[in-house]
Amino acid sequence: MRNVGIVGIGQVPVAEHWDRSLRDLSAEAVISALHDAGDPNPGALYAGNMLAGELTGQENVATLIADATGLLPIEAIKIEAACAAGGAAIRAAYLAVASGAHDCAVAVGVEKMTDHFNDAVSSALATAADADYEAGHGVSFVALNALLMRRYMHEHRVKREDFAPFSVNAHRNAACNPHAMFMDEISVDDYMASPVVADPISILDSAAICDGAAALVLCALENEGTFPKPAVRLAASSCATDTLGLSERRDPLRWQAVADSASTAYKQAGIGPIDIDAFELHDAFTIVSALTLEACSFAEPGEGVRMATSDAIRREGSVPIATMGGLKGRGHPIGASGVYQAVEAVHQLRGTAGEAQIPDARTVMIQSVGGSGSVAVTHIFQT
Amino acid sequence: MRNVGIVGIGQVPVAEHWDRSLRDLSAEAVISALHDAGDPNPGALYAGNMLAGELTGQENVATLIADATGLLPIEAIKIEAACAAGGAAIRAAYLAVASGAHDCAVAVGVEKMTDHFNDAVSSALATAADADYEAGHGVSFVALNALLMRRYMHEHRVKREDFAPFSVNAHRNAACNPHAMFMDEISVDDYMASPVVADPISILDSAAICDGAAALVLCALENEGTFPKPAVRLAASSCATDTLGLSERRDPLRWQAVADSASTAYKQAGIGPIDIDAFELHDAFTIVSALTLEACSFAEPGEGVRMATSDAIRREGSVPIATMGGLKGRGHPIGASGVYQAVEAVHQLRGTAGEAQIPDARTVMIQSVGGSGSVAVTHIFQT
């Protein structure tokens, strides 16, 4: 396999873009990433997207983006792995370049969610769960995560307020990110006072419904010199799965796909958790952050929440997470989130993360998780 | 890039499977393909599917299939390119193996369409067109193809009955395929008498709404010896795109993505159209067959229909198409069709196509087309 790197990044601010279409948002992100890479001619475009069929009435999204960006007759394919679609699109582009099929490829993630009432969006998001055995009985996606949070609080004897630092940290970091949806810091009191969505999950435990698009340009490292900016190396790329339904798992608090995907990535990169300078994890809910830190060997079972209360997750801590706001603060446009994570990782490694910069960042891990931990895609970036 | 071959195939009969779920159909196809390949342990599964989100309320389909087939914690990702999703899933599996990321991978295509009223299915299918500029104005997918057929008849001065041989040939071949939906031969009179769907397209111009699943096991050719059956070699794999909307094209009768994808595939395989022993084309409508034969250099513009009337497309002809029924006769379960084509190509090359067998078949081309010719995926198989 050829070594692969990222030589261009582009993103639109995550927001409620009432006045902009899926086509418009994704085209801006792709064109901006191509411009950052010196306007090369990529051979393929892989689009991470989950909900355009349900919400916009638009499948064939990758062709739409290739068309809108003037990249025809480029290879263009949509990649879907529920909320992990963004990470999966990066992986598709990685394999296309690593294989030698293309010297340069684009990974783009896009989601347009705000043109619809929340009920419609909740129904669409529930398609990430098991239609026959979960969603079919009326359980929403946030309710599944509420079950996990309640169970975690019971098993590990922690309280709701112990999850607050995840949200406080995300918002603190988002305040340094001009592309973030929520550039406002919050306090623990704000967290505790925020309205409940599905007990014990409140609004400030949850990533918001939003719109966004982000894009990467990947190339074979052997051609790095033909691009204006030095490449950020993709040191690892992996994907793993677990049961679609939560009820099928021996221990619902053990996120096995996340663990498998991370351990494969550590092996590929020849490193361990201690070598990670920043970790853009999938903090769609605060409980997901806790379970992820444990599954990825940053913490023992039950200790994920304590990492947060100990401040280890802050930019100055031992395992900075959500360094530019994460899904909670920057926003979680589902199929785009994994690509936003990558854009932010590249900013950290280029030293262009502004006030959110982690000093001397050399190794950044990003992770997209789909369903209730049923599919996980992990990438490790290095300078 | 490593050379890649197919060492296992599986399929369920295409039908109206009122009593079977998407999970059930796809699991049977995958397990059957793995069994055909000597039950190896694949490293990844790529699922071609277009409509499960809209019709079944199920995204995250690849994880569902990995779970249902006992393949966890395998990498599993859904691939979508409208009606070309099946071909695109094969391409994803091909790249994963060619790159060296996996030694063995599964490509599966599945679609479950018959649990819904035709209106719902028509709306879902229209998501392959441009939501803003085509489907949003009420044009259905069959209507777009009717516009193409009407234009073709006008430009090339042919009549509706000239398209009949495509349908007659497909049904004749389907009668030899026990997995086909329509095992009944039809006559030109049947074709002419069939009810109009969108003038000039009638029922016997169109592939039916149906359910199905098919699967392939791909491996690196260097490991071919570890599988019970000889591999069928993937001599070419390519994807190309054209404008999403028909109205944006200089000549709507010139299917440029189909042409680009085929010419790239010819180049990769080092062959030309004359070397193709059988061509499983995307005959979702008879007009698509005519335009495809022209775009793939089997016929000059306007001569595609004449190829049919001259019997060149029959099993005994110079360019046999739809040799086991095609989308029209075998059935067109959208995201599965490309994988069915591959299964049939392998049968032809193994010499196990039964009554549908093309004598001495050595080179078979298959092609999946999404939207109104907006995305095309072509593969060439050789013994």
Side-chain angles (χ1 to χ4, degrees), chain A residues 229-242:
Chain A
K229 294 181 184 167
V232 164
R233 194 164 67 90
L234 258 164
S237 171
S238 78
C239 172
T241 47
D242 197 355

Side-chain angles (χ1 to χ4, degrees), chain B residues 169 273-274 276-279 281 293 298-299 307 311-323 358:
Chain B
N169 175 66
I274 199 164
I276 304 294
D277 297 320
F279 180 20
L281 48 63
L293 287 169
F298 291 101
M307 273 192 78
D311 286 350
I313 61 169
R314 291 162 66 97
R315 287 204 302 278
E316 308 76 17
S318 56
V319 190
I321 66 172
T323 66
I358 306 294

Side-chain angles (χ1 to χ4, degrees), chain A residues 226-293:
Chain A
T226 63
F227 296 88
K229 294 181 184 167
V232 164
R233 194 164 67 90
L234 258 164
S237 171
S238 78
C239 172
T241 47
D242 197 355
T243 65
L244 191 62
L246 265 185
S247 64
E248 296 176 72
R249 299 190 196 152
R250 199 170 299 176
D251 177 1
L253 298 183
R254 168 75 183 162
W255 272 25
Q256 195 60 48
V258 168
D260 288 338
S261 171
S263 71
T264 302
Y266 292 145
K267 214 172 292 171
Q268 287 176 3
I271 62 171
I274 198 163
D275 302 302
I276 304 294
D277 297 320
F279 179 20
E280 296 302 331
L281 47 63
H282 191 87
D283 57 330
F285 300 100
T286 51
I287 179 64
V288 177
S289 297
L291 295 176
T292 296
L293 287 170

Side-chain angles (χ1 to χ4, degrees), chain A residues 1 23 53-54 57-60 67 72-75 78 80 91 99 127-131 241 243-244 260 374, chain B residues 1 23 53-54 58-60 67 72-75 78 80 91 99 127-132 241 243-244 260 374:
Chain A
M1 292 173 76
R23 184 189 313 256
E54 290 89 343
Q58 183 70 70
E59 294 290 353
N60 214 355
D67 190 6
L72 299 176
I74 195 174
E75 166 170 1
K78 170 178 156 176
E80 191 270 331
R91 179 151 172 78
S99 70
T127 63
D130 192 312
T241 47
T243 65
L244 191 62
D260 288 338
S374 61
Chain B
M1 291 174 77
R23 185 189 313 257
E54 290 89 343
Q58 184 71 69
E59 294 291 352
N60 214 353
D67 189 5
L72 300 176
I74 195 175
E75 166 169 2
K78 169 177 155 176
E80 190 270 332
R91 178 150 173 81
S99 70
T127 63
D130 194 311
D132 292 334
T241 47
T243 65
L244 190 61
D260 289 337
S374 61

